[in-house]
Amino acid sequence: MTFDICVRLERPCEICVAPYGFRHHMTLSNNTHMFSDMVKRADVSGNLDAPEGGFDAIMQSVVCREHIGWREQARRLLVFSTDASFHYAGDGKLGGIVKPNDGRCHLSREGFYTESSYQDYPSIEQINLSVKKNSINVIFAVTESTIDIYKQLAANIEGSSVGKLEGDSSNIVSLIKEQYEQISSTVEMKHNASSAVSIKFYTRCLNSTGALVNTNKCGNIKVGDLIQFKVEVEVLKCPKNRDEHKQTIQIYPVGINESLIIDLEMLCECNCEKPGDRFYEENSPRCNHKGTYICGICECYPRAFGRKCECSTEEASRNITDATCVRPDGPPGVKCSNRGDCVCGKCQCHARKNDNERVYGPYCECDNFSCEHHDGKLCSGPDHGECDCGVCRCTEEWTGTNCACRKSNATCYAPDTSDGLLCSGHGVCECGVCKCDTTEDGRYSGKFCERCPTCSDRCIEYKDCVQCQMYRTGPLKDEHDCATNCTKFTPIPVKEVVANEENNEFKCAYYDEDECIFTYVYYFDNDNKLQVKAQENRECREKIFLPFIVIGVIAAVVLLGLAILLLWKLLTTIHDRREFARFEKEKMMAKWDTGENPIYKQATSTFKNPTYSGKG
């Protein structure tokens, strides 16, 4: 029996060589013919049990970088093809091998793995760490019978994937291509931070205008696409081991040999906690001489308590209770209005993050920030009033719950009128603003309700003054008449006249004696002063000269006739030249002399005696 096992180990089959753990045949190269030849000449072997030592092969292929020929700046793929399960750490003990795998390169000059009989198989975690360290994507091309177990394995090896291999390996090329496209079209960010540090990734992936999403993975990526990740680093706790207060964190995309290195130093203690610092003061007056002032906080001595150590256990034993911190007219049992702490029978109100905001009162019932707002301003702004205990205290000129209303009605009287009616008699004045009435014909409008639904505006009233002041035209174009009659306003020149309805601006447009149109707007400013904005230049029609049009038409007809004659002359000249050139060409192609008759033949004949030499 022992003899039979030894024979099978030396030669598992007739064409097999002795079993070996792993052999490196060929360094990575572009020579496909050499690769094909090496595959054909590779020795076939076998083993006595079903699982294979593929982990040894993966480990040596990953760590023996110089032998394999891995490039630094390249995406590295390792294809592992098999139809059987695998041995892992611990199985070596069945053969008497107890030495753990050291995860190092052990290849001989011939490419054989030399530690198969001396070191145990690598563990799954060792494979995972080596793959991560060397930025390699592993593709498991396995048959259907083992695909489930390799899917479980791939879930524990970062950057690995599994594909189904046909029994005759006919789909190996398409499988590798499919897996590569999946790997290269996905970017997944990882890190090696400890549990004391939380790292979150935010990205928009390919949606540049979308919102940031908390994810470390983006898919459907093509070559040239730019993906940006925002990294949020948060220290959750200070490790008990002081050596871990300084950490080097590596953030990297899976399968790519690039990374971001973060040197993190945790500040787990402050200098102000140590004696001798200026913020460390024993028996401090800030703590009523009953505690130590440390980093801005009082650490009270025994029998003293409170924010500033103002209370003692002796005082607490008296009739001082929390009931004195409950507002008599407030909810029962609510101390300090839930906005402070009851210390020694008195409320100490909580501080606000905003230094301009404060909570105060015997029961912390008051504040200076919870009053009504108007246009986003507290009590309509400091010029109108201020907030005191939840109520707006308005200045003399303003009133209302938010100090937005004027006390005076002066702003509701239309200027430049003699009737003196409030809101022109067509509305009521509320908070210094006219609220116009509505009639059967419609609603009055304007800042002072001066515009009725069926009445005309005041454009005609200001027309003559705008003409004379801006363009020196109209019935008041005389300088003396203009200065005498137009004293209510001075037009403001603008390039384009646009009426702002929110400011109650009214747009007017007229033609003058030169058939030019001029435009202007009028309105009343905050001081109820009439303002007029007029267009700088009038818009005049261009004059049409009829004789020029007639002459232009005649000239165009003559020029068109001449153009037609010239075109006809050009075409006939070109045609004649082509015919003459054709004639000349046919003349030159004649093969006989035109001076002789081509069919003429002489009447005499000449013969030469071939034997006559011309002698005797």
Side-chain angles (χ1 to χ4, degrees):
M1 184 68 176
T2 305
F3 175 76
D4 182 56
I5 294 177
C6 293
V7 171
R8 292 182 63 186
L9 284 175
E10 293 179 356
R11 186 175 294 276
C13 61
E14 293 183 0
I15 61 173
C16 298
V17 298
Y20 56 90
F22 168 71
R23 183 181 181 184
H24 170 56
H25 288 273
M26 175 182 174
T27 303
L28 290 174
S29 171
N30 293 328
N31 191 338
T32 57
H33 297 288
M34 181 179 178
F35 173 77
S36 177
D37 183 62
M38 293 295 290
V39 172
K40 293 178 181 179
R41 292 192 294 109
D43 296 328
V44 179
S45 183
N47 53 343
L48 300 181
D49 57 353
E52 296 178 343
F55 276 17
D56 282 338
I58 294 175
M59 178 62 75
Q60 295 304 303
S61 299
V62 170
V63 299
C64 297
R65 299 175 61 171
E66 295 183 358
H67 295 78
I68 303 299
W70 296 114
R71 288 186 298 165
E72 289 295 331
Q73 301 299 327
R75 182 180 287 275
R76 303 163 185 169
L77 299 179
L78 178 62
V79 181
F80 182 82
S81 176
T82 183
D83 60 353
S85 61
F86 49 84
H87 282 294
Y88 53 90
D91 288 356
K93 294 181 180 180
L94 300 176
I97 301 175
V98 296
K99 183 179 179 181
N101 193 285
D102 59 7
R104 297 180 181 179
C105 180
H106 298 284
L107 294 183
S108 64
R109 292 184 179 181
E110 293 78 17
F112 285 100
Y113 175 48
T114 59
E115 297 295 317
S116 293
S117 302
Y118 306 101
Q119 289 189 10
D120 196 1
Y121 299 104
S123 65
I124 296 177
E125 183 60 24
Q126 281 182 304
I127 295 292
N128 182 44
L129 291 175
S130 298
V131 166
K132 288 170 55 177
K133 182 179 179 180
N134 293 275
S135 302
I136 294 177
N137 294 104
V138 182
I139 300 175
F140 293 105
V142 297
T143 55
E144 185 176 6
S145 60
T146 59
I147 193 169
D148 291 335
I149 189 173
Y150 278 95
K151 284 183 178 179
Q152 298 179 25
L153 174 63
N156 294 279
I157 297 179
E158 185 177 286
S160 62
S161 60
V162 181
K164 180 181 176 182
L165 183 67
E166 299 296 338
D168 57 356
S169 302
S170 59
N171 68 326
I172 184 65
V173 176
S174 60
L175 185 150
I176 295 174
K177 182 178 179 181
E178 178 184 353
Q179 296 299 318
Y180 173 73
E181 289 177 352
Q182 292 181 6
I183 293 171
S184 61
S185 64
T186 302
V187 172
E188 183 178 5
M189 302 300 295
K190 291 284 188 177
H191 64 85
N192 62 347
S194 66
S195 59
V197 181
S198 170
I199 295 183
K200 296 180 180 180
F201 297 93
Y202 297 90
T203 181
R204 295 184 176 90
C205 289
L206 293 176
N207 186 7
S208 59
T209 59
L212 288 171
V213 180
N214 182 9
T215 180
N216 67 328
K217 192 174 184 179
C218 288
N220 299 323
I221 297 174
K222 299 178 181 178
V223 176
D225 290 339
L226 177 63
I227 306 297
Q228 293 184 344
F229 284 90
K230 179 182 177 182
V231 182
E232 182 181 284
V233 181
E234 180 184 2
V235 177
L236 301 178
K237 60 182 179 180
C238 285
K240 295 181 180 180
N241 187 356
R242 289 179 176 270
D243 295 336
E244 297 181 6
H245 289 182
K246 291 184 178 181
Q247 296 185 12
T248 299
I249 301 175
Q250 182 183 18
I251 298 176
Y252 58 94
V254 175
I256 300 178
N257 189 25
E258 294 181 1
S259 61
L260 171 67
I261 303 300
I262 300 177
D263 291 326
L264 176 65
E265 181 178 357
M266 303 181 190
L267 301 178
C268 296
E269 58 183 6
C270 302
N271 292 329
C272 58
E273 298 180 78
K274 302 175 182 178
D277 189 83
R278 63 190 183 97
F279 291 107
Y280 186 95
E281 185 179 6
E282 296 181 356
N283 196 24
S284 173
R286 302 179 185 182
C287 303
N288 293 298
H289 298 285
K290 297 179 182 179
T292 303
Y293 185 74
I294 302 175
C295 298
I297 299 175
C298 287
E299 187 177 284
C300 302
Y301 297 148
R303 297 184 180 181
F305 61 94
R307 184 175 297 177
K308 298 182 179 180
C309 305
E310 66 272 23
C311 301
S312 65
T313 54
E314 296 176 359
E315 295 176 349
S317 62
R318 300 175 186 174
N319 294 328
I320 299 177
T321 62
D322 290 345
T324 57
C325 296
V326 179
R327 188 176 179 180
D329 56 346
V334 177
K335 295 179 289 185
C336 301
S337 305
N338 283 334
R339 300 199 291 182
D341 299 322
C342 186
V343 181
C344 297
K346 294 182 181 180
C347 287
Q348 290 186 354
C349 302
H350 295 157
R352 302 279 296 181
K353 292 182 179 180
N354 188 344
D355 294 336
N356 295 325
E357 298 178 356
R358 64 188 184 92
V359 180
Y360 56 94
Y363 305 99
C364 301
E365 74 278 11
C366 294
D367 62 65
N368 66 342
F369 53 83
S370 61
C371 296
E372 288 190 25
H373 288 67
H374 178 71
D375 290 339
K377 297 180 180 179
L378 185 66
C379 296
S380 303
D383 295 337
H384 291 222
E386 62 180 9
C387 183
D388 180 21
C389 204
V391 179
C392 286
R393 309 297 181 187
C394 305
T395 59
E396 295 181 357
E397 298 180 0
W398 301 92
T399 185
T401 57
N402 54 10
C403 301
C405 295
R406 288 184 180 272
K407 289 183 178 179
S408 173
N409 293 334
T411 55
C412 293
Y413 290 96
D416 195 29
T417 56
S418 58
D419 52 19
L421 296 176
L422 192 67
C423 296
S424 303
H426 304 298
V428 295
C429 185
E430 296 181 2
C431 296
V433 179
C434 286
K435 303 295 182 182
C436 302
D437 297 335
T438 301
T439 64
E440 295 180 356
D441 298 327
R443 182 176 178 272
Y444 283 86
S445 60
K447 185 176 181 180
F448 306 103
C449 303
E450 72 275 14
R451 299 184 65 183
C452 69
T454 58
C455 302
S456 60
D457 49 36
R458 302 176 67 177
C459 288
I460 192 67
E461 182 180 343
Y462 308 127
K463 170 179 173 292
D464 294 342
C465 289
V466 171
Q467 276 189 275
C468 76
Q469 290 179 318
M470 286 294 299
Y471 316 112
R472 297 293 184 266
T473 61
L476 300 177
K477 63 182 178 180
D478 183 74
E479 186 175 352
H480 177 72
D481 293 341
C482 186
T484 303
N485 295 283
C486 301
T487 58
K488 296 180 181 180
F489 64 87
T490 300
I492 302 171
V494 294
K495 291 184 178 181
E496 183 180 0
V497 176
V498 179
N500 188 344
E501 296 181 358
E502 295 181 358
N503 294 338
N504 292 311
E505 296 182 358
F506 301 94
K507 188 174 182 179
C508 313
Y510 293 99
Y511 281 97
D512 60 11
E513 60 269 21
D514 296 329
E515 294 298 323
C516 296
I517 187 172
F518 61 95
T519 310
Y520 61 93
V521 296
Y522 72 89
Y523 63 96
F524 296 92
D525 59 16
N526 295 332
D527 297 327
N528 288 339
K529 185 178 179 181
L530 176 65
Q531 299 289 343
V532 177
K533 293 187 293 185
Q535 191 172 338
E536 289 182 351
N537 300 311
R538 299 174 297 169
E539 297 180 6
C540 300
R541 299 177 180 175
E542 295 183 0
K543 294 182 179 180
I544 302 175
F545 297 94
L546 188 59
F548 288 170
I549 296 177
V550 174
I551 295 173
V553 172
I554 294 173
V557 171
V558 172
L559 291 174
L560 181 61
L562 291 174
I564 293 173
L565 289 174
L566 289 174
L567 180 61
W568 173 81
K569 180 63 177 176
L570 178 63
L571 292 175
T572 54
T573 301
I574 293 173
H575 180 267
D576 292 345
R577 289 185 177 181
R578 285 181 177 176
E579 291 295 327
F580 181 75
R582 186 184 302 171
F583 169 75
E584 289 291 331
K585 183 177 181 181
E586 291 178 354
K587 179 180 176 182
M588 294 297 295
M589 291 177 62
K591 297 183 179 180
W592 63 82
D593 187 358
T594 56
E596 297 181 0
N597 189 343
I599 62 175
Y600 172 77
K601 186 176 183 181
Q602 292 184 0
T604 61
S605 300
T606 302
F607 299 94
K608 186 177 181 181
N609 189 348
T611 59
Y612 177 70
S613 60
K615 295 182 180 181

